Amino acid sequence: MDSVFLIRLVQFILSISLLVLLHEGGHFFFAKLFKVRVTRFYVFFNPKFHLFSTYDTWFRRLFKKNPVVVPEKVVKDENGNEHKEKEYVGTEYGIGWLPLGGYCAISGMIDETNQQLSSEPQPYEFRTKPAWQRLLIMVGGVLVNFLLALFIYSMVLYYWGESYIQTKDMTMGMKFNTEAKKLGFQDGDVLVGTDKGAFTTFNTDLYRDISGAQRVDIIRDGKAMALTLPGDLNLLDMIKSQPPFVTPLVPTEIDSILPGSAAEKIGMAAGDKIIALNGKAVDSWNEFTLEVSKLNDIVTAKGTKEDSIKGRTVSIAFTHQATGVTDTVRTILDTDMKLGVVQKSIWSFYKPTEIKYGFFESFPAGIRYGVDVLRGYVDDLKYVFSADGAKSLGGFGAIGSLFPPMWDWMMFWRMTAFLSIILAFMNILPIPALDGGHVLFLLYEMVTGRKPSERFLVISEYIGFGILILLMIVANLNDILRWLGYM
C-alpha cells in the first residue's frame, strides 16, 4: 500500500473519529443532564455487527445519586417472591465498522436510530421533556464541534504561532493567467489589497477578496497603483482554471535531485536553474509546470507507447549554479511527467512574518481565525448550486487528500478544526435527519405551541435521510470519476 495513502488514511480516520465522538458526546451530555435515557452511543455505524461494545455499569454507579429510571416493575427474586423495583437504565457504548459518522440513540426521539415509539410516553423519554431542554439536546453536538474548532485553532496558535509571507513582501510578484491579464494585471505585479482591506498572505481569502472587489491595489515596477475590477468574478472559475487566476511567482531554482531520476542522469544539481523547456523560455516554476501539463495532455490523448516516449522526450536548458555554464540536454521524463527535481519553495526566497501568542492571547486570536474560516466557508457555499460547483463536491477521498502526505501535527490539527467547523455548520442546516431539522421543528413548536405529528416527523426523517444519502453518493462518485480521469 502507498505510504502517502496510508498516512492520509490514518489521519482521516483519527480526525473523523475524534469529531464524531465529541459531536455525539454533546448530545449525550445534555441528554444525561436532563435525565433522558440514552440506549446506545456509537462511533461509526454498526449495521448487522460492531467491532466493540460495552455496557456502562461504571457510569450508572457514577450517577447513582441521580439515576435515570423507568417505572417500577414486578420482578421475582431467587425464591420466587414478587416485589417491585426500579430499573436503572444504562447505555451501550460501541464502535461500529462503517466509518460514515456515529449516533447517540435517545429514547423517545424520532431519528435514524429509533423510528418506533412506545404507545405511552415515559418520563425518561426525549419527547416528554420541555421544548427548551430538547433544543439544548439537539444543538449540543453542533455547539461542541464549533467550540472544539475554536479551541484547536487557539492551541495551534499558542503552540506553533503564526508564520506566513505577506503578499506585499513577495517582491518578485505574481503570475497571472489570460483572464486576469484581460482585467489589467501583468506578470510581476505585487498584490497589496482591495477596497475590502489589505491582504495578509496568499491563500483562498485573497482569491475571495479579489472576486468581490471593485478595486485592487498593486505595486508594479516599484510604483503603487490600483486596478478597477467588476466586483462579481466567479471564485470557482478563478481557482479551477489552468493555470489559476494568480499564483506567486517562484523562480525555477532546484532544491534537490531525486536519486535515479532523469534530472540526475543529465547532471542537474541542487541550486541549478532551469531556463527553457523545448526551446521555450521559462522564468518560473509556474511556467515550467504549465508547459509540462501541455505535454501531458498530448501524451494522454495519443496513448500509444511510442507516442508516450516521444511526448516525454524533452529538451531542457539549465544553468549550473557552481560554474554559471548553461547546458541544453535532451532527456525522457518519467511516466508521471516528472523530471525528478524538488522545487525550491516560495519560503526559500522571502523572510516570513512570525507571530507568537501567549496562552491567554491565543484564545481571541483563535476565535477570530475560526470565525473567519466559517465566514469564508459559508460565503463559498453559493457555488455548490452551480454546475461546476456540483462537480467540485468531494467525498471521503477528497477530504482525505486534504491531509498532508507526511505526518505533520500542526496541519493535522488545523484540518481537524476545519472539519469540525464544517461538521457543525452542515449539521445545523434545517434539513430533516440533521440536527438542524430537529431544531427547526422544535422552534416551530415553541412559537406555535403545537408539536408536529409523529407521522410527519417520521416521513420527514426518511426524506432528509434520502437527501443525505444522495449527496453522499454524488460526492463520492465525483471522487471516483476524478480518480479515473473523467473530471
Side-chain angles (χ1 to χ4, degrees), residues 411-457:
M411 292 304 299
F412 169 81
W413 286 117
R414 281 185 177 273
M415 268 304 304
T416 299
F418 178 62
L419 293 179
S420 193
I421 282 182
I422 293 177
L423 184 60
F425 179 78
M426 296 302 293
N427 262 283
I428 205 62
L429 292 176
I431 300 173
L434 292 177
D435 295 343
H438 294 283
V439 169
L440 178 66
F441 296 142
L442 280 167
L443 291 176
Y444 167 82
E445 178 186 340
M446 294 172 74
V447 171
T448 65
R450 298 192 305 272
K451 286 185 178 182
S453 69
E454 290 182 2
R455 176 176 172 77
F456 172 80
L457 292 175

Side-chain angles (χ1 to χ4, degrees), residues 90-314:
T91 304
E92 178 189 350
Y93 299 90
I95 300 175
W97 62 269
L98 189 60
L100 301 182
Y103 66 93
C104 179
I106 299 174
S107 293
M109 175 181 169
I110 297 175
D111 63 4
E112 71 278 7
T113 68
N114 181 14
Q115 299 289 352
Q116 302 299 323
L117 301 180
S118 60
S119 56
E120 291 296 326
Q122 302 298 331
Y124 58 83
E125 288 187 330
F126 175 85
R127 56 178 168 164
T128 62
K129 300 300 178 180
W132 68 271
Q133 292 185 3
R134 285 180 278 138
L135 182 63
L136 284 175
I137 292 172
M138 291 318 307
V139 301
V142 168
L143 181 63
V144 167
N145 278 131
F146 185 64
L147 293 178
L148 173 67
L150 299 183
F151 177 75
I152 292 176
Y153 281 134
S154 299
M155 291 300 96
V156 166
L157 293 177
Y158 168 66
Y159 190 82
W160 284 285
E162 281 190 282
S163 181
Y164 57 88
I165 301 170
Q166 297 188 63
T167 56
K168 66 182 181 63
D169 292 336
M170 298 179 184
T171 52
M172 289 183 290
M174 286 77 184
K175 297 289 288 189
F176 297 87
N177 68 7
T178 303
E179 295 305 315
K181 289 176 179 177
K182 289 179 181 178
L183 296 170
F185 291 101
Q186 294 181 13
D187 289 340
D189 287 350
V190 179
L191 295 174
V192 177
T194 67
D195 48 347
K196 297 184 177 183
F199 296 132
T200 302
T201 188
F202 196 96
N203 55 20
T204 307
D205 288 337
L206 178 143
Y207 270 91
R208 192 178 290 114
D209 286 351
I210 292 177
S211 69
Q214 295 184 334
R215 188 198 80 240
V216 61
D217 300 317
I218 64 172
I219 297 175
R220 179 178 295 170
D221 299 327
K223 298 179 180 179
M225 61 181 295
L227 298 177
T228 301
L229 297 181
D232 60 351
L233 297 176
N234 187 293
L235 176 63
L236 201 60
D237 288 344
M238 293 171 67
I239 296 174
K240 290 185 65 178
S241 60
Q242 290 299 325
F245 186 89
V246 57
T247 51
L249 190 154
V250 183
T252 50
E253 292 185 24
I254 297 171
D255 181 76
S256 57
I257 304 295
L258 299 180
S261 65
E264 184 182 58
K265 294 175 182 176
I266 61 176
M268 281 185 164
D272 291 355
K273 184 175 182 179
I274 299 174
I275 60 174
L277 178 66
N278 286 343
K280 181 177 176 60
V282 292
D283 64 356
S284 65
W285 286 117
N286 316 63
E287 288 186 343
F288 181 83
T289 302
L290 177 61
E291 294 303 315
V292 171
S293 68
K294 291 178 181 178
L295 293 174
N296 187 51
D297 290 341
I298 296 172
V299 170
T300 303
K302 293 186 176 180
T304 66
K305 183 177 180 180
E306 292 76 12
D307 287 334
S308 174
I309 294 175
K310 183 178 179 181
R312 290 187 287 117
T313 302
V314 296

Side-chain angles (χ1 to χ4, degrees), residues 395 397-398 473-487:
I473 291 173
V474 170
N476 285 283
L477 181 60
N478 284 349
D479 283 351
I480 295 172
L481 293 176
R482 277 190 285 267
W483 180 66
L484 294 175
Y486 291 105
M487 289 183 64

